[in-house]
Amino acid sequence: MEAAMDLMRRVSPNHSEAALSALLSLLPTHSSPLLSQVDQPLQVMVDTESGKEFVLCEYNRDADSYRSPWSNKYYPPLEDGPLPSEDMRKLEVEANDIFAIYRDQYYEGGISSVYMWEDDNGVLVSCFLIKKDGTKPGFGRRGYLQEGSWDAVHLIEVGQEENGMAQYCLTSTVMLSLTTKDKLSGTFNLSGSIRRQMKLDLSVADGHLCNMGKMIEEMEGKLRNSLDQVYFGKTREMVCMLRPPPEVLQARMPDI
């Protein structure tokens, strides 16, 4: 299991689905922990009742069906699929409406879904998902981008309230993949994933959704900065070293 997880951390998100399928064939006894711990690029399904798209993940799946946050129904239909309690469902509906506004302001489009439930110990757990396909013109496509996707998974566990305070544990994963194509520079591909965790003790006076939103906003800012420094920064450094601009080459050439 340790070797399998080590391998998956080094696989490009573009090939993670094929790699996970191969590992499941090799290690059938470890299928449950692999499926729960390995993040895959998010998929999308259409809720035929509401006409809206929703994001698929392990947290809204039961058997081969997925629950929609819009109609609270499973697709394909599932008779005995688990559903959130009435209070959880109200909070889930409100969270989806708020998160859709956040998605439009920060991502200029894309698809988002929020799922909420209580675990066996009565702990509130929520999953915030965003999928942005940069190849669609309506989703803010720019420049030489040929293919591109941003998949963000934010899982939040809320501890028991004590003296008006609660501990929030946020685990965030971002999977980025992009391909550019230009006549001068040719085809360029960059992909990778990053995961971070944050724990905070916050007052519940403003409500759980307010606290969750602030944590997600702060975490996404940190993740974007990390991606810019690690992936784009190192890539620029290597490209400029291997293929420096003409003015840099001219400055380096010795006088004859």
Side-chain angles (χ1 to χ4, degrees):
M1 185 64 192
E2 183 179 351
M5 293 302 298
D6 192 49
L7 175 65
M8 290 304 301
R9 280 192 290 269
R10 288 161 171 76
V11 172
S12 166
N14 292 335
H15 305 134
S16 61
E17 189 174 353
L20 179 60
S21 177
L23 284 175
L24 292 175
S25 300
L26 291 171
L27 305 170
T29 57
H30 292 76
S31 59
S32 181
L34 278 172
L35 289 171
S36 62
Q37 295 184 40
V38 175
D39 292 303
Q40 293 287 293
L42 301 173
Q43 303 296 324
V44 175
M45 185 179 287
V46 177
D47 184 335
T48 56
E49 182 172 308
S50 65
K52 297 181 179 180
E53 293 179 308
F54 63 97
V55 186
L56 314 182
C57 69
E58 284 297 308
Y59 305 108
N60 71 321
R61 181 177 70 87
D62 188 61
D64 294 327
S65 298
Y66 294 87
R67 183 175 68 88
S68 167
W70 309 115
S71 64
N72 203 29
K73 294 183 178 180
Y74 279 87
Y75 295 90
L78 187 66
E79 295 182 359
D80 56 348
L83 298 173
S85 64
E86 185 176 349
D87 291 338
M88 284 291 102
R89 178 57 184 160
K90 290 180 181 179
L91 192 63
E92 185 181 77
V93 171
E94 184 181 0
N96 274 281
D97 293 338
I98 295 174
F99 205 53
I101 298 173
Y102 170 87
R103 177 205 66 211
D104 289 337
Q105 291 180 343
Y106 278 83
Y107 289 89
E108 300 180 10
I111 303 166
S112 64
S113 296
V114 181
Y115 303 101
M116 294 191 171
W117 68 96
E118 291 181 338
D119 65 8
D120 297 336
N121 299 320
V123 174
L124 170 62
V125 186
S126 59
C127 183
F128 294 76
L129 306 166
I130 292 180
K131 183 173 184 64
K132 173 69 179 286
D133 186 353
T135 61
K136 296 182 179 180
F139 283 1
R141 181 177 179 178
R142 294 184 179 89
Y144 300 112
L145 185 66
Q146 185 181 31
E147 296 179 355
S149 65
W150 172 284
D151 297 316
V153 181
H154 303 284
L155 185 67
I156 303 179
E157 297 181 9
V158 183
Q160 297 295 331
E161 297 181 18
E162 294 183 4
N163 301 322
M165 302 288 290
Q167 184 182 73
Y168 296 80
C169 180
L170 167 64
T171 303
S172 298
T173 302
V174 167
M175 291 162 281
L176 172 68
S177 176
L178 60 89
T179 302
T180 62
K181 189 173 183 179
D182 180 47
K183 291 182 179 179
L184 296 177
S185 61
T187 302
F188 174 78
N189 178 270
L190 177 66
S191 60
S193 64
I194 188 170
R195 174 182 287 189
R196 294 290 185 269
Q197 191 175 81
M198 174 194 299
K199 291 184 179 181
L200 291 177
D201 292 324
L202 301 173
S203 171
V204 297
D206 295 330
H208 291 312
L209 289 182
C210 181
N211 292 335
M212 292 176 181
K214 291 178 180 178
M215 291 183 68
I216 291 174
E217 184 177 20
E218 181 181 349
M219 177 63 84
E220 287 210 328
K222 292 180 179 179
L223 291 175
R224 282 192 291 268
N225 290 335
S226 296
L227 286 170
D228 182 53
Q229 295 172 6
V230 175
Y231 291 110
F232 294 101
K234 289 295 182 181
T235 300
R236 281 195 295 266
E237 181 181 342
M238 293 302 298
V239 170
C240 290
M241 183 175 65
L242 296 173
R243 301 177 62 182
E247 58 270 18
V248 176
L249 272 179
Q250 187 66 31
R252 289 180 182 175
M253 291 180 63
D255 296 332
I256 301 177

